[in-house]
Amino acid sequence: MRSHQITKGPERAPHRALLKAIGYTDTELRRPLIGVAQSANEVIPGHIHLDRVCAAVKDGIRMAGGTPMEFSTIGICDGIAMGHEGMKYSLASRELIADSVESMARAYPFDGLVLLPNCDKIVPGMIMAGARLDLPTIVISGGPMRTGICNGQEIDLITVFEGMGKLRIGELTEEELTELEDAACPGAGSCSGMFTANSMNCLTEALGIALPGNGTILAVDAARIRLAKESGMAIMNLVEKKITMRQILTNKTFHNALAVDMAFGGSTNTSLHLPAIAHEAGLTLALEDFNQASLKTPHICNMSPGGPDHMEDLHQAGGVSAIMKVLAEKGLLAEDCLTVSGETLGQLLAQPAIKVLNHETIRPLDNPYHKTGGLAVLTGNLARDGAVVKQSAVAPEMLQHQGPARIFETEEEAFSAIINQKINPGDVIVIRYEGPQGGPGMREMLSPTAALAGIGLDKEVALLTDGRFSGGTRGAAIGHISPEASAGGLIGLVEEGDQIKIDIPGRNLELLVDESELKIRKERWQAPPAKIKQGYLARYAKQVGSAAKGAVMS
């Protein structure tokens, strides 16, 4: 066992002495040592309860004959970081989380690892570390939040963001906005729609690195605690059988995850995180792979923000396992992939209990909400290396659009123009110098897109950026434009009034300006000075790569 490096033999007496100072007994130190990376804190609603989930994980490990060793990571709530400098740190924190878990698991030679995240960048950050370390590893998340109810209507965090725009045009009073604010997030858990956190937690099931139910069992359900105990027991089976993470994370499992992502209409951020995880596993997942999966896989779940359903609806309909069963029956999944249960995906899906319980929440493939998957990757002269849009959340009339560019160098400038009603129907808002390098940190821009929806322009105005969008964004919001402006991308040469043509079904994004004019603009373009000159973000900006390849650091 790896842990013998600190527990076995007379030469390890000093190590055991220090471990005994913590309170570990000789019996505990003879057992496999299991690292439990958890991210409980008092600043993220999705993590406020993780100490209880973590206790259940440790109970499961002990029941199965192991010794749990808990340690912590940082975590940032994208919703609270939204719209100010804090959002610059969100994506960048993914790398810190991965590095911190790696550091702990190398300094302490654990025999296995349990990853306990829930929100935003904590989920991919921990999984990246797991793929890098290649130990027996299992993921157990904290679970989604209950859906909010206000005046008999189901609401979520996005309702509040869009409420800001409705307040501005007189559709809501301040008192009504406060009612939404008080009801939208009823308690612990990751926000209740198919936003980034829940997209990634659901994809842990598709990747085979979490037990069934991990993505959809509510945070407040007792079933979440039982699943945590079962995950603690399952890690001991993985340790015994020497099943490591890279044995599970293969090319086939990543393509399974892409199919499931397209079927439930996941966040555009999955196009950053899945390639980054694949990179850590020694594999390559390209943006074109997302397009290929989208063309083959119908969109069969109508989840918020694009539709009315929330995570508890999906769970009650059969959860991610039911989606996978629908896809597998039509040959859209590789069923021979290994999972952390110790069984193959096909063996798991063969269980009679796995079935669709609501054929409106999870539609059959011959009656989908859309014939193609939830995401689309666009290319063209404005996005040579790619751009990403959640096409399942775009109004039909905006799937093809042409209009004049409205140029903003920061998110704040664009938000101010939107909220003060200085944007016209038909405009194409361009927010640039917000990419991984130029932001730095590639901020999510839920505030501008929610404001557009709130004032009723989401079906008339498009928004383009080299930054990114929240998993809660809806409308013709096209992000991840690569190369980014700071790296000399064409988005940095767009001028006010230029015509931009968007063709989402045709997967095309074009700036309609003559090449001769673009050459002149290119010659006079100068890279802007760095926005942040010291600290972690300054280092991050120098080392981070293109969004088209997952924004991984070199």
Side-chain angles (χ1 to χ4, degrees):
M1 294 192 296
R2 291 181 78 244
S3 59
H4 286 172
Q5 296 176 56
I6 58 172
T7 61
K8 190 174 183 180
E11 68 277 11
R12 300 307 181 194
H15 304 70
R16 291 193 298 273
L18 289 167
L19 290 168
K20 287 178 178 179
I22 300 170
Y24 292 109
T25 65
D26 285 323
T27 299
E28 288 175 299
L29 296 179
R30 283 193 291 268
R31 295 172 176 172
L33 303 186
I34 309 299
V36 182
Q38 63 94 353
S39 46
N41 59 48
E42 296 182 353
V43 293
I44 307 178
H47 291 230
I48 191 67
H49 66 306
L50 288 191
D51 51 354
R52 183 170 179 234
V53 181
C54 186
V57 169
K58 293 190 290 185
D59 286 344
I61 292 169
R62 292 189 184 102
M63 284 190 287
T67 298
M69 290 184 161
E70 174 187 344
F71 63 93
S72 302
T73 73
I74 63 167
I76 292 174
C77 173
D78 281 16
I80 298 172
M82 196 75 65
H84 59 90
E85 184 187 36
M87 182 48 71
K88 293 179 182 289
Y89 286 85
S90 173
L91 180 60
S93 74
R94 186 188 72 179
E95 317 307 311
L96 287 175
I97 291 163
D99 289 351
S100 68
V101 174
E102 176 203 353
S103 298
M104 289 296 289
R106 294 295 187 205
Y108 298 86
F110 301 124
D111 300 300
L113 197 60
V114 179
L115 305 175
L116 179 51
N118 205 31
C119 292
D120 301 314
K121 308 310 165 287
I122 303 97
V123 183
M126 284 195 179
I127 300 172
M128 287 165 65
R132 188 185 301 171
L133 291 161
D134 195 28
L135 299 173
T137 303
I138 192 169
V139 180
I140 166 68
S141 74
M145 188 183 289
R146 285 192 299 113
T147 309
I149 303 291
C150 186
N151 297 321
Q153 300 295 312
E154 291 189 350
I155 64 171
D156 54 38
L157 180 64
I158 308 310
T159 316
V160 187
F161 270 97
E162 294 181 359
M164 295 186 298
K166 292 181 179 180
L167 175 69
R168 184 60 63 125
I169 63 174
E171 287 191 12
L172 276 183
T173 65
E174 288 191 21
E175 290 76 16
E176 289 170 328
L177 181 59
T178 299
E179 287 181 13
L180 292 178
E181 171 189 329
D182 290 343
C185 300
S190 48
C191 294
S192 58
M194 190 57 82
F195 313 143
T196 301
N198 289 326
S199 295
M200 291 305 301
N201 283 328
C202 286
L203 290 179
T204 61
E205 294 188 47
L207 288 167
I209 56 177
L211 295 177
N214 184 59
T216 58
I217 295 173
L218 290 182
V220 295
D221 280 0
R224 175 61 55 180
I225 299 301
R226 294 196 296 272
L227 185 69
K229 292 177 181 178
E230 291 164 1
S231 298
M233 290 186 280
I235 187 60
M236 298 308 298
N237 182 54
L238 295 174
V239 169
E240 181 183 351
K241 293 184 177 180
K242 296 182 172 59
I243 298 173
T244 67
M245 204 167 198
R246 290 195 188 183
Q247 291 173 257
I248 295 173
L249 292 178
T250 66
N251 281 313
K252 286 183 179 180
T253 55
F254 277 103
H255 284 87
N256 282 351
L258 290 181
V260 175
D261 192 6
M262 298 306 156
F264 63 51
S267 164
T268 53
N269 285 312
T270 62
S271 68
L272 284 173
H273 302 322
L274 287 176
I277 295 166
H279 174 77
E280 296 293 354
L283 304 170
T284 299
L285 195 66
L287 283 182
E288 181 54 30
D289 292 321
F290 284 79
N291 256 347
Q292 292 302 315
S294 181
L295 293 171
K296 292 189 295 184
T297 314
H299 175 230
I300 59 175
C301 301
N302 202 17
M303 306 288 293
S304 177
D309 289 333
H310 291 85
M311 297 308 296
E312 58 196 276
D313 301 308
L314 179 57
H315 184 65
Q316 291 164 8
V320 177
S321 293
I323 295 173
M324 290 196 289
K325 192 158 192 171
V326 170
L327 298 177
E329 286 172 349
K330 296 296 183 180
L332 293 174
L333 296 182
E335 296 186 59
D336 58 345
C337 295
L338 188 61
T339 73
V340 289
S341 69
E343 298 181 306
T344 66
L345 178 62
Q347 289 171 324
L348 279 181
L349 298 182
Q351 298 175 18
I354 295 177
K355 57 187 174 182
V356 177
L357 301 174
N358 183 322
H359 291 281
E360 192 61 21
T361 300
I362 304 175
R363 285 190 174 182
L365 293 176
D366 58 4
N367 182 34
Y369 286 100
H370 300 94
K371 292 181 180 179
T372 56
L375 300 183
V377 176
L378 314 185
T379 54
N381 70 347
L382 195 49
R384 187 185 70 230
D385 296 337
V388 186
V389 61
K390 190 170 187 173
Q391 62 178 347
S392 59
V394 179
E397 55 266 46
M398 287 300 293
L399 291 172
Q400 293 176 310
H401 178 76
Q402 182 175 323
R406 301 292 306 278
I407 306 300
F408 301 95
E409 309 297 351
T410 66
E411 175 191 0
E412 288 82 358
E413 293 175 14
F415 179 72
S416 177
I418 294 166
I419 210 73
N420 289 304
Q421 301 180 61
K422 294 181 180 180
I423 300 299
N424 304 310
D427 283 351
V428 178
I429 298 170
V430 177
I431 306 177
R432 61 193 181 191
Y433 297 104
E434 290 284 8
Q437 171 189 320
M442 201 180 183
R443 288 194 287 180
E444 281 187 352
M445 300 188 192
L446 179 56
S447 296
T449 58
L452 280 174
I455 64 176
L457 285 179
D458 57 305
K459 296 180 180 179
E460 299 179 79
V461 171
L463 198 157
L464 313 182
T465 183
D466 52 6
R468 60 195 177 94
F469 294 109
S470 164
T473 287
R474 63 186 174 99
I478 301 169
H480 304 206
I481 290 177
S482 302
E484 62 175 290
S486 289
L490 194 62
I491 187 173
L493 305 184
V494 184
E495 294 185 357
E496 189 84 7
D498 286 348
Q499 288 289 308
I500 294 175
K501 184 178 180 180
I502 300 165
D503 182 2
I504 294 174
R507 305 294 198 264
N508 190 245
L509 184 61
E510 293 285 334
L511 175 63
L512 303 180
V513 174
D514 289 340
E515 285 295 327
S516 57
E517 171 62 20
L518 291 177
K519 184 178 180 181
I520 294 170
R521 294 183 189 180
K522 181 68 174 177
E523 289 173 352
R524 66 172 181 250
W525 178 83
Q526 291 184 331
K531 295 178 183 176
I532 295 179
K533 296 180 173 60
Q534 65 179 13
Y536 173 59
L537 276 184
R539 299 196 303 274
Y540 178 85
K542 293 176 182 177
Q543 294 179 280
V544 70
S546 169
K549 295 184 178 180
V552 296
M553 290 178 67
S554 59

